[in-house]
Amino acid sequence: MRKRAASRQKDVLSVLNACDRPMTAYQILEKLQVGEPDIAPPTVYRTLSALTDQGRAHRLESIKAFVPCRCNHVESVPVLAICEDCGSVEEHDGSDLLSKLTALTEQSAFSAARHIVEIHGQCGTCAA
C-alpha cells in the first residue's frame, strides 16, 4: 500500500522529533521499518529532500544527518551548533547574518540558493 507524501513526511518528522540527536537516513529508515517493513531507502531520501526543501528539516552537511527544524527561517539563516562530544544540535536564528553573507557572495557574482551555517564544538554541558 502506498502512503501519500504528506503522511510520509509526518512519519519522518515524528521520528526526527522523537530523537534528541541527529539521525542518518538509514537510522530513520530502521525506525520506520518497525511499522512498515517494506519501506525502501529511496522513499526516505525523497521524503527528507522534500522536508529540507520545505524548511521543515535540516541536513547537517558535515555529518550527513538530519534534524527537524525548530525555528522559523523565513528570510533567515539557520545556524546549527553541533556538539562533537554528545551529538546534540542547537538551532539558532542567524537573521542578522543574511545581509553579510549576501554581500560576501555578491562580490564574486555568486548566487546563493540557500544558507546554512554549521558550527562544531562543545555544548555548554559537555564544556563544563
Side-chain angles (χ1 to χ4, degrees):
M1 178 162 83
R2 299 188 78 183
K3 278 192 161 187
R4 297 187 57 147
S7 177
R8 179 82 63 213
Q9 290 174 13
K10 182 180 175 186
D11 293 345
V12 170
L13 279 175
S14 292
V15 169
L16 284 173
N17 281 314
C19 186
D20 61 349
R21 301 289 181 259
M23 297 183 77
T24 67
Y26 277 91
Q27 289 170 323
I28 295 167
L29 176 66
E30 287 176 15
K31 296 282 187 188
L32 293 173
Q33 284 177 329
V34 170
E36 192 176 345
D38 294 335
I39 190 170
T43 302
V44 174
Y45 278 108
R46 278 192 303 273
T47 303
L48 286 166
S49 179
L51 289 169
T52 57
D53 288 347
Q54 296 166 15
R56 297 169 64 197
H58 297 294
R59 181 176 192 269
L60 302 172
E61 305 287 340
S62 61
I63 60 173
K64 298 178 181 150
F66 297 86
V67 292
C69 180
R70 300 193 191 283
C71 294
N72 181 7
H73 295 292
V74 177
E75 295 298 318
S76 179
V77 176
V79 177
L80 303 165
I82 304 163
C83 181
E84 293 185 336
D85 288 346
C86 71
S88 68
V89 177
E90 295 175 1
E91 184 172 353
H92 304 278
D93 181 359
S95 296
D96 55 333
L97 298 175
L98 189 56
S99 62
K100 294 175 185 172
L101 290 171
T102 301
L104 182 71
T105 56
E106 283 179 346
Q107 293 174 8
S108 63
F110 184 84
S111 178
R114 63 190 175 107
H115 300 84
I116 297 173
V117 177
E118 294 183 24
I119 304 169
H120 287 262
Q122 287 183 313
C123 68
T125 302
C126 292

